[in-house]
Amino acid sequence: MPALLALLAAAALLALLGARRAAAPGACAPLKRWVLGCLLLLHGACRQRAAAGGPPEPRRPRPLRHDPHALDSVYFTGFAETDKTFVIARLAKRPDGICEMWLFLRVDGIGEFEHPQHPNMMVSDESEELWSGGGLTIEYLEPQRCWKISFDGLLRKGPYRQQWSEEEGELVPVKFSFHWENFTEVFNFSVDSHPSTFARALAQEPWTIELFQRVKKQREQHFRHEQWGQSVGEIEIENHEKTQLSLKGVRSHSYGVRDWSEIYRYVMILAHFEDGTAAHLTVINMPATTTNLSVGYVFFPDGRKAGIEWSNASLAEMADDGVIKDEYGVSFTAGGKYFDVSATLDKAACPVVYNGLTGRGVFHECIASFQLNGLTQGWGLVEFYYRDEAAQLVPNLQLGSKAKGPDFSSWHPVADGSPP
């Protein structure tokens, strides 16, 4: 009901301002921003009350909606913060028994590894009860507190590939198991985001009834929440001793309907700092609704959370030409405080995955070191997404699970290096 009231109020404002003036990009932006801010504050308060009494997050994947773009995605990052070790894992259930899968890792002193399917990310869904595909399994153990992430199979030793190749490369048996436990509460993007960022972005767009209908549809179809935590476990790589790891990073859960063709570009920054601060900033271009929306949050060392209120980040200044630089800097405010964040990318650790069965998009997952306000060290990543409608990047793409490898207890080298 609040969403409907907001839509009707926006329509009334269109009539008040005059359709031609309100439809012009940037026209009456301060007034539009003020009205939207008030509406979104009211709407957000209603959604927070509804969320407070809502059901807990289910311990198994949600049934997918009857939509070709339906998904249920879980994504984990983990950084050692004492060396260059990291793990990135993602599984997203899609219709027709398909999963989107990412798996990248680096163990300091041993090397970089990625799933042999990459840069393809499509594998077969291997379970209805868990997130599982390509040898990677993610299991929900305790609501909003504890997860298990495990893998048993073959990974390709680096360097990370930047384009598709028929050559499999050096495949190495790898096995790991981590237990992830939270150290922050959940940030729900639908109810916890600060309304000013969305109001500012939407105020710059040409206003029409169709625009508000598209915004309403997007907000009702796709949901996302995140929290930060610590993964503890061990990893075993063939010809190396078991390594005990303790990693800090984010858990992101995205579900509903996600049509990637609606997204032209985005840049996402995820960082955790040595003082306990954790931050997420995404700048995204969705041509049908908002062409420069900044959204995100900060978790403070004392556990408080706040949605980002303002940011100077601009997609036009962040690899708009497709050339990713070594360093980036952004500023933003949250919880009444100002943050200045600089990122230095590790160009040896920028793995790539192609989006979907046709490969009409590309993700660059760039590991980075950070500085907060010029003083506090941080660890994390900068993710760049580009939609590419021009060509199919992966020729003759097929689903696969090349990672299925031998049991470590009876492992013997395979002469040709190919997966069994």
Side-chain angles (χ1 to χ4, degrees):
M1 190 65 178
L4 179 60
L5 291 175
L7 183 61
L8 293 175
L13 181 62
L14 274 173
L16 177 64
L17 295 177
R20 181 169 299 178
R21 288 183 64 204
C28 303
L31 176 59
K32 291 159 72 176
R33 187 164 61 244
W34 178 83
V35 171
L36 279 171
C38 294
L39 292 171
L40 290 168
L41 276 172
L42 175 63
H43 181 46
C46 294
R47 297 191 72 165
Q48 283 180 334
R49 287 194 295 270
E57 185 179 14
R59 292 182 59 177
R60 55 173 292 174
R62 288 173 168 82
L64 295 179
R65 297 190 183 188
H66 297 290
D67 187 288
H69 303 292
L71 91 164
D72 189 350
S73 169
V74 286
Y75 168 82
F76 289 81
T77 69
F79 298 87
E81 301 192 354
T82 55
D83 57 31
K84 293 186 177 182
T85 298
F86 69 85
V87 175
I88 296 171
R90 174 179 180 258
L91 283 170
K93 287 179 173 289
R94 288 288 196 172
D96 302 321
I98 294 174
C99 258
E100 299 173 358
M101 179 276 309
W102 300 7
L103 183 55
F104 312 105
L105 62 92
R106 175 168 61 193
V107 179
D108 197 41
I110 297 178
E112 295 86 14
F113 299 86
E114 65 182 340
H115 197 281
Q117 281 290 112
H118 293 334
N120 167 30
M121 70 172 181
M122 307 306 292
V123 297
S124 298
D125 189 351
E126 298 171 359
S127 174
E128 294 183 358
E129 302 296 322
L130 309 168
W131 290 264
S132 184
L136 177 65
T137 299
I138 300 177
E139 182 179 359
Y140 201 177
L141 301 180
E142 187 177 348
Q144 297 185 355
R145 289 199 63 184
C146 186
W147 292 69
K148 181 181 179 181
I149 307 142
S150 58
F151 176 80
D152 189 354
L154 299 174
L155 295 182
R156 182 171 56 234
K157 193 170 184 180
Y160 296 115
R161 291 190 176 172
Q162 301 300 304
Q163 59 185 5
W164 176 259
S165 172
E166 296 288 346
E167 297 293 328
E168 287 185 333
E170 180 185 357
L171 301 182
V172 179
V174 175
K175 182 178 181 179
F176 65 73
S177 179
F178 299 109
H179 274 76
W180 183 96
E181 291 190 9
N182 73 300
F183 56 68
T184 74
E185 61 177 300
V186 169
F187 185 91
N188 187 323
F189 281 85
S190 297
V191 300
D192 295 329
S193 295
H194 199 282
S196 65
T197 54
F198 188 75
R200 184 176 290 105
L202 199 57
Q204 299 302 317
E205 304 296 329
W207 279 19
T208 65
I209 295 298
E210 291 75 16
L211 170 67
F212 285 95
Q213 290 173 338
R214 291 193 296 268
V215 170
K216 178 176 179 290
K217 181 180 179 181
Q218 282 185 353
R219 292 174 69 86
E220 293 175 348
Q221 281 191 335
H222 183 254
F223 306 91
R224 179 173 180 172
H225 59 258
E226 293 184 354
Q227 62 183 149
W228 291 73
Q230 184 166 356
S231 298
V232 177
E234 64 180 23
I235 185 168
E236 185 177 357
I237 300 172
E238 188 266 324
N239 288 335
H240 296 274
E241 294 183 357
K242 290 183 180 180
T243 302
Q244 302 293 321
L245 296 178
S246 177
L247 312 170
K248 294 179 180 179
V250 74
R251 171 184 79 90
S252 182
H253 194 167
S254 170
Y255 58 94
V257 176
R258 167 57 77 210
D259 183 355
W260 284 104
S261 68
E262 296 178 348
I263 299 175
Y264 179 68
R265 270 200 68 205
Y266 73 75
V267 176
M268 178 178 70
I269 295 172
L270 292 169
H272 183 262
F273 298 91
E274 59 184 356
D275 68 349
T277 301
H280 172 142
L281 173 65
T282 290
V283 190
I284 188 168
N285 179 350
M286 296 180 288
T289 53
T290 50
T291 54
N292 196 55
L293 170 65
S294 296
V295 66
Y297 59 81
V298 171
F299 278 105
F300 292 88
D302 62 3
R304 291 182 299 119
K305 64 181 178 182
I308 287 177
E309 304 154 7
W310 164 90
S311 174
N312 68 347
S314 170
L315 285 176
E317 299 176 0
M318 303 183 77
D320 190 48
D321 57 358
V323 178
I324 297 174
K325 299 188 301 184
D326 294 338
E327 297 182 350
Y328 289 95
V330 296
S331 300
F332 51 86
T333 57
K337 293 191 174 182
Y338 179 87
F339 298 85
D340 185 73
V341 174
S342 60
T344 301
L345 277 55
D346 183 346
K347 299 308 284 284
C350 287
V352 167
V353 281
Y354 296 146
N355 188 13
L357 287 170
T358 59
R360 294 182 181 270
V362 60
F363 302 88
H364 299 263
E365 198 82 343
C366 298
I367 308 306
S369 58
F370 291 87
Q371 288 285 327
L372 174 61
N373 298 327
L375 298 173
T376 308
Q377 186 178 1
W379 303 264
L381 61 85
V382 183
E383 182 178 297
F384 299 82
Y385 177 75
Y386 298 87
R387 188 174 69 194
D388 184 357
E389 300 288 359
Q392 183 172 324
L393 299 174
V394 184
N396 303 316
L397 179 60
Q398 297 178 356
L399 296 184
S401 55
K402 293 181 180 180
K404 290 185 177 180
D407 190 325
F408 268 81
S409 62
S410 59
W411 184 83
H412 298 284
V414 179
D416 63 0
S418 60

